[in-house]
Amino acid sequence: MLTALAGFALFALLVTVVPGPDTLLVLRNCVRGGRLPGIATAFGAAVGSLAWAVAAAVGLAAALQRWDAAFAVVRLAGAAYLVFLGAQALWAHRRGAAAAAKDGDGGAPAPAPTAFLAFRQGLLSCLLNPKVGIFFVAVVPQFLPDSRSALPMTLLFGVVDAAIAAGWLVLVSVFAARLLNWLRRPRVNTAMERTTGGVLVALGLGTAAETL
């Protein structure tokens, strides 16, 4: 059992450290509001991952994978949410830049999200990504010990994955918070907002294109 847990934990860590929408949201919210919104986003994503693990454990994720229409609806909803977040970031940056040019102050920071809003963004970003559920359906069976029941082990793997995701994203938040003075420089902040907004929109459009 310990060998299976260690193997799954290592695999989950390798998957987690690859930058994705959750990492972009953590960085964006951390730059806008500091460490707390970044950490709240991280925990929201971790709770969403745990919810998918529970769904996989009871067979919902597997059923979703087989039911093409439902899978497409969830993916399109997730794609729309990513496009919304990206467009929102780009619009907020453009509005702030216009206000800054009018006032002549050289730059206006985007509004800081509350911890609750940041948590909700991380949660919805993960819940609307069915690939997380498919990850559990496809990967967990490879690590299940023959002598153990699938349901409790899948739940245990889900807890492990959520803990790893939360730990890694919190580290990203802490590291970004230490660089806030640099990240909030007008040129750096402008590049950050444009990049994260553009990448989120691109990810959403790419997901939608794969679904259609």
Side-chain angles (χ1 to χ4, degrees), residues 53-130:
V54 174
V58 298
L60 292 180
L64 185 66
Q65 185 181 25
R66 291 192 298 267
W67 190 11
D68 292 340
F71 183 78
V73 168
V74 175
R75 288 198 67 180
L76 287 174
Y81 185 64
L82 289 177
V83 171
F84 167 75
L85 289 177
Q88 187 181 53
L90 293 173
W91 175 252
H93 167 70
R94 181 180 179 181
R95 186 172 53 185
K102 182 178 180 180
D103 297 338
D105 61 4
T114 63
F116 174 76
L117 177 60
F119 177 89
R120 187 179 67 183
Q121 288 178 348
L123 177 65
L124 289 177
S125 175
C126 190
L127 287 180
L128 292 175
N129 184 4

Side-chain angles (χ1 to χ4, degrees), residues 93 96-109 184-190:
H93 167 70
K102 182 178 180 180
D103 297 338
D105 61 4
R184 284 176 174 170
R185 291 179 179 178
R187 289 185 178 180
V188 177
N189 187 50
T190 295

Side-chain angles (χ1 to χ4, degrees), residues 160-172:
V160 170
D161 181 71
I164 290 173
W168 171 253
L169 293 175
V170 166
L171 284 178
V172 172

Side-chain angles (χ1 to χ4, degrees), residues 21-201:
D22 295 338
T23 305
L24 291 176
L25 286 177
V26 167
L27 285 172
R28 190 195 67 171
N29 288 339
C30 189
V31 171
R32 287 183 173 184
R35 183 181 303 176
L36 182 58
I39 292 176
T41 308
F43 279 107
V47 171
S49 176
L50 185 58
W52 272 116
V54 174
V58 298
L60 292 180
L64 185 66
Q65 185 181 25
R66 291 192 298 267
W67 190 11
D68 292 340
F71 183 78
V73 168
V74 175
R75 288 198 67 180
L76 287 174
Y81 185 64
L82 289 177
V83 171
F84 167 75
L85 289 177
Q88 187 181 53
L90 293 173
W91 175 252
H93 167 70
R94 181 180 179 181
R95 186 172 53 185
K102 182 178 180 180
D103 297 338
D105 61 4
T114 63
F116 174 76
L117 177 60
F119 177 89
R120 187 179 67 183
Q121 288 178 348
L123 177 65
L124 289 177
S125 175
C126 190
L127 287 180
L128 292 175
N129 184 4
K131 289 183 179 180
V132 180
I134 303 308
F135 165 81
F136 285 103
V137 173
V139 173
V140 166
Q142 314 303 320
F143 294 93
L144 285 176
D146 295 335
S147 58
R148 299 284 179 171
S149 174
L151 176 60
M153 284 302 298
T154 302
L155 293 176
L156 180 57
F157 284 151
V159 172
V160 170
D161 181 71
I164 290 173
W168 171 253
L169 293 175
V170 166
L171 284 178
V172 172
S173 300
V174 172
F175 181 74
R178 291 181 179 273
L179 298 175
L180 278 183
N181 289 334
W182 179 75
L183 291 172
R184 284 176 174 170
R185 291 179 179 178
R187 289 185 178 180
V188 177
N189 187 50
T190 295
M192 185 83 172
E193 287 290 335
R194 287 177 177 175
T195 301
T196 54
V199 170
L200 287 172
V201 170

